[in-house]
């Protein structure tokens, strides 16, 4: 019964088990935004920490940054986002509901079993395709011609109406890295090639629906701008990053066969990119982008130098050569990485005798709870001993104490949230100092000395 998981199953499970809820549910929810519950927040933190550890702490050529969400508005003019950061939009001509033109075309083609490449279509081609094929809105009305819709979220700075100044919530974390390039060069002992990494929120006014945390209006990115010499072998540098990016998703539990790379064709390249690869994951709704790797050349530093009139160059300390560095950018979506971890972990298993279980087989290092501790019965002595063990272990790693009494049910609950180890305190614990430790994946139980439990789990996580 080990089936292919569907988005529907993930959404229902995530809500039932306190991982992910739609934002503002008591007010009927807000489309395309989600809140992370207790386990979801911990899972997301564990993935974030693994990324930071892998790409910042363990490398000596990458430093970290935590930039502001609201920046000087000129940042987005210089970067090209105010003019070129848009999606093609069509509108229902009767009720004015808005849709992504490319999504409308793809949904129509899917239904017909036809292949269309919307990436290669401009606005005119999309409008023509929609009218030629008489594609209607979900409510059966005619659709308008396609037009560009800017994705940046506007906000206003200043308390008094007259002093209002338009600013933007950042559309990507990358720009605060570029505008801090000089600060980092002046204060840190960095030498080209080096990277600046950042994890943080980004915002896009996406017209979309029903994609859960895959596409939201508020999300988190984990990005590195890797500065290189303009004549460096950028192709080899990109190939190395592709390997490192893939390894990151394997570390989250993804099966190697479910991760691939797709190179953008010319029409699809962003305004700043000379070459882009998208790492993609095989979801039940298709192969979809989970990250990007782009060769941004010197586009961003040159633009910011032009708009700010500041020199954003690099002087080689050995040769004294002065140049504007080029950039290779590995960009990961944290919230999409969470979705990859959920899809990779979710299993429904047949246990025989008409019994089954849902089990989240998270790699132990990202599992929100590492161990659950149960007393075999509600006997004061067993409860006290189990609490003692819980307090000892919980000071080292995230644990749960459960005293509900039905061991089978307690196992099922921990399986569903992906806890790798369950430890039962029984009468042998009181008499012989041993506990039973059960492995989530094999369901096998081992009896070990209570003194060895901490080391046993620490070794595995
Ligand atoms: N700095 C480059 C950049 O922002 P992007 O391809 O637009 O490139 C990079 O975004 C990654 O950010 C994507 O591969 C995806 O993982 C994530 N991302 C982008 N838009 C998103 C959205 N609306 N919801 C969730 N994640 C998103």
């Amino acid at each position: 019964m080990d089936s292919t998981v569907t988005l529907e199953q993930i959404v229902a499970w995530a809500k039932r088990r306190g991982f992910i809820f739609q934002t503002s549910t008591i007010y009927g929810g807000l489309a395309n935004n989600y809140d992370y519950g207790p386990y979801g927040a911990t899972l997301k933190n564990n993935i974030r920490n693994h990324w930071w550890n892998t790409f910042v702490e363990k490398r000596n050529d990458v430093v970290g940054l935590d930039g502001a969400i609201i920046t000087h508005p000129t940042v987005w003019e210089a970067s090209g986002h105010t003019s070129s950061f848009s999606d093609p939009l069509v509108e229902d001509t009767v009720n004015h509901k808005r849709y992504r033109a490319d999504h409308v075309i793809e949904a129509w083609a899917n239904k017909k079993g036809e292949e269309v490449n919307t990436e290669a279509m401009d606005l005119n081609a999309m409008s023509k395709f929609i009218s030629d094929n008489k594609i209607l809105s979900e409510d059966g009305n005619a659709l308008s011609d396609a037009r560009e819709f800017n994705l940046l979220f506007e906000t206003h700075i200043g308390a008094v109406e007259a002093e209002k100044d338009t600013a933007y919530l950042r559309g990507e974390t990358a720009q605060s890295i570029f505008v801090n390039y000089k600060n980092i060069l002046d204060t840190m002992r960095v030498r080209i090639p080096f990277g600046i990494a950042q994890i943080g929120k980004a915002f896009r006014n996406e017209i979309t629906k029903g994609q859960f945390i895959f596409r939201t209006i508020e999300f988190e990115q984990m990005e590195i701008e890797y500065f290189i010499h303009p004549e460096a072998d950028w192709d080899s540098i990109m190939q190395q990053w592709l390997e490192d990016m893939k390894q990151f998703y394997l570390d989250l539990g993804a099966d190697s066969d479910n991760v691939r790379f797709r190179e953008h064709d010319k029409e699809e390249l962003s305004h700043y990119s000379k070459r882009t690869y998208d790492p993609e994951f095989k979801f039940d709704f298709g192969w979809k982008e989970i990250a990007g790797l782009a060769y941004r050349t010197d586009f961003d530093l040159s633009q910011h130098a032009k708009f700010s009139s500041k020199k954003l160059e690099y002087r080689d300390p050995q040769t004294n050569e002065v140049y504007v560095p080029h950039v290779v950018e590995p960009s990961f979506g944290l919230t999409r990485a969470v979705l990859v971890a959920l899809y990779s972990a979710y299993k429904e298993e047949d246990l025989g005798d008409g019994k089954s279980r849902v089990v989240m087989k998270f790699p132990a290092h990202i599992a929100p709870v590492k161990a659950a501790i149960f007393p075999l019965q509600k006997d004061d002595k067993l409860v006290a001993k189990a609490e003692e063990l819980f307090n000892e272990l919980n000071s080292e790693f995230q644990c749960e104490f459960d005293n509900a009494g039905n061991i089978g049910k307690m196992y099922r609950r921990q399986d569903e949230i992906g806890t790798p180890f369950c430890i039962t305190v029984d009468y042998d614990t009181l008499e012989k100092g041993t506990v039973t430790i059960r492995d989530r994946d094999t369901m096998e139980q081992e009896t070990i000395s209570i003194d060895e439990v901490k080391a046993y789990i620490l070794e595995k996580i």
Side-chain angles (χ1 to χ4, degrees):
M1 202 173 72
D2 196 353
S3 57
T4 311
V5 59
T6 63
L7 186 62
E8 222 177 0
Q9 283 171 306
I10 295 281
V11 174
W13 163 87
K15 189 175 169 195
R16 187 171 74 243
R17 283 302 173 202
F19 277 71
I20 301 169
F21 311 110
Q22 196 181 16
T23 297
S24 320
T25 34
I26 62 164
Y27 291 104
L30 179 75
N32 305 319
N33 231 6
Y34 290 87
D35 295 336
Y36 288 73
Y39 297 129
T42 307
L43 175 70
K44 181 144 69 84
N45 282 343
N46 292 348
I47 294 176
R48 182 193 284 118
N49 292 342
H50 180 61
W51 189 92
W52 193 259
N53 185 252
T54 304
F55 293 112
V56 184
E57 289 172 355
K58 280 194 183 152
R59 297 181 63 127
N60 65 4
D61 59 346
V62 179
V63 293
L65 176 77
D66 187 0
I69 285 172
I70 300 172
T71 58
H72 194 289
T74 312
V75 168
W76 303 100
E77 265 177 63
S79 68
H81 282 77
T82 48
S83 55
S84 310
F85 191 51
S86 54
D87 276 341
L89 170 123
V90 285
E91 218 172 279
D92 181 311
T93 49
V94 177
N95 60 25
H96 304 290
K97 270 196 207 160
R98 291 167 166 192
Y99 304 91
R100 278 266 299 260
D102 50 340
H103 290 178
V104 166
I105 294 172
E106 282 158 15
W108 178 89
N110 253 350
K111 257 194 205 155
K112 298 263 173 197
E114 284 180 23
E115 288 246 335
V116 271
N117 180 10
T118 50
E119 304 286 358
M121 290 183 176
D122 62 11
L123 290 179
N124 285 338
M126 287 192 206
S127 303
K128 185 167 174 340
F129 190 95
I130 289 173
S131 82
D132 285 356
N133 292 291
K134 302 189 173 46
I135 304 176
L136 300 176
S137 76
E138 276 178 2
D139 300 312
N141 303 318
L143 289 165
S144 68
D145 278 348
R147 63 185 164 91
E148 291 295 353
F149 175 74
N150 195 283
L151 295 179
L152 281 181
F153 264 106
E154 277 186 15
T155 186
H156 299 279
I157 299 173
V160 184
E161 190 78 3
E163 290 171 5
K164 265 186 183 175
D165 222 345
T166 300
Y168 305 97
L169 305 185
R170 64 184 177 196
E172 59 172 6
T173 54
Q175 293 307 321
S176 32
I177 298 182
F178 292 121
V179 298
N180 274 293
Y181 166 79
K182 193 167 156 32
N183 288 335
I184 289 187
L185 204 62
D186 292 348
T187 55
M188 306 298 291
R189 295 164 62 85
V190 284
R191 295 278 176 270
I192 281 201
F194 73 92
I196 304 176
Q198 179 172 211
I199 302 179
K201 292 245 172 173
F203 303 82
R204 296 183 188 178
N205 208 348
E206 303 267 10
I207 312 149
T208 178
K209 67 172 208 184
Q211 300 202 52
F212 192 43
I213 55 168
F214 181 78
R215 192 182 304 281
T216 45
I217 52 177
E218 175 180 343
F219 55 99
E220 276 169 86
Q221 289 186 316
M222 308 184 285
E223 299 199 295
I224 301 163
E225 305 308 320
Y226 197 70
F227 298 95
I228 60 174
H229 189 280
E231 258 116 57
D233 178 2
W234 53 271
D235 184 28
S236 308
I237 294 170
M238 287 186 98
Q239 297 311 318
Q240 183 58 52
W241 275 112
L242 286 178
E243 266 178 50
D244 296 348
M245 292 178 93
K246 176 152 186 180
Q247 186 56 49
F248 175 74
Y249 292 105
L250 301 188
D251 292 350
L252 303 187
D255 189 313
S256 184
D257 291 342
N258 290 339
V259 181
R260 72 175 189 191
F261 300 107
R262 190 179 64 78
E263 190 179 338
H264 283 205
D265 50 34
K266 273 215 179 88
E267 295 77 15
E268 194 184 347
L269 285 175
S270 304
H271 60 279
Y272 51 72
S273 178
K274 193 159 172 183
R275 189 188 293 170
T276 296
Y277 297 97
D278 283 347
E280 295 185 329
F281 183 80
K282 193 176 177 191
F283 295 100
D284 65 313
F285 49 96
W287 283 98
K288 296 284 170 193
E289 173 192 336
I290 48 174
L293 177 68
Y295 175 35
R296 295 181 80 124
T297 67
D298 60 351
F299 175 83
D300 302 271
L301 286 184
S302 297
Q303 284 291 103
H304 288 302
K306 193 165 118 195
F307 278 72
S308 66
S309 307
K310 300 280 184 319
K311 281 196 170 143
L312 300 178
E313 295 171 333
Y314 179 80
R315 177 183 293 276
D316 188 299
Q318 254 122 44
T319 63
N320 269 335
E321 186 192 2
V322 177
Y323 56 86
V324 178
H326 282 214
V327 166
V328 169
E329 179 199 61
S331 168
F332 301 67
L334 171 56
T335 34
R336 283 192 194 172
V338 170
L339 197 59
V340 168
L342 298 185
Y343 264 78
S344 305
Y346 188 100
K347 303 277 178 285
E348 284 186 10
E349 290 181 353
D350 192 340
L351 303 179
D353 295 334
K355 291 187 189 144
S356 65
R357 68 167 181 162
V358 169
V359 54
M360 297 301 288
K361 294 190 172 177
F362 294 124
H365 71 108
I366 60 164
V369 179
K370 310 297 186 206
I373 297 102
F374 316 139
L376 181 67
Q377 290 169 16
K378 288 183 181 172
D379 171 324
D380 287 350
K381 281 191 191 139
L382 292 182
V383 172
K385 192 70 190 167
E387 275 176 350
E388 194 185 304
L389 181 62
F390 166 79
N391 288 331
E392 186 199 338
L393 298 184
N394 198 43
S395 64
E396 292 283 336
F397 40 79
Q398 182 87 52
C399 291
E400 273 197 1
F401 178 83
D402 197 346
N403 191 7
N406 180 331
I407 294 282
K409 273 196 183 154
M410 293 193 291
Y411 280 158
R412 285 297 93 79
R413 187 177 175 279
Q414 294 301 328
D415 286 346
E416 272 210 52
I417 62 167
T419 307
F421 304 103
C422 288
I423 303 155
T424 307
V425 168
D426 57 22
Y427 290 102
D428 278 349
T429 316
L430 304 180
E431 284 160 26
K432 300 186 200 154
T434 58
V435 293
T436 309
I437 186 157
R438 176 220 188 231
D439 182 284
R440 174 196 67 198
D441 299 344
T442 61
M443 293 189 282
E444 273 170 19
Q445 302 187 11
E446 236 184 290
T447 303
I448 64 170
S449 159
I450 196 165
D451 302 330
E452 292 167 14
V453 174
K454 194 197 286 181
Y456 178 98
I457 296 176
L458 277 175
E459 199 222 313
K460 308 221 172 190
I461 63 176

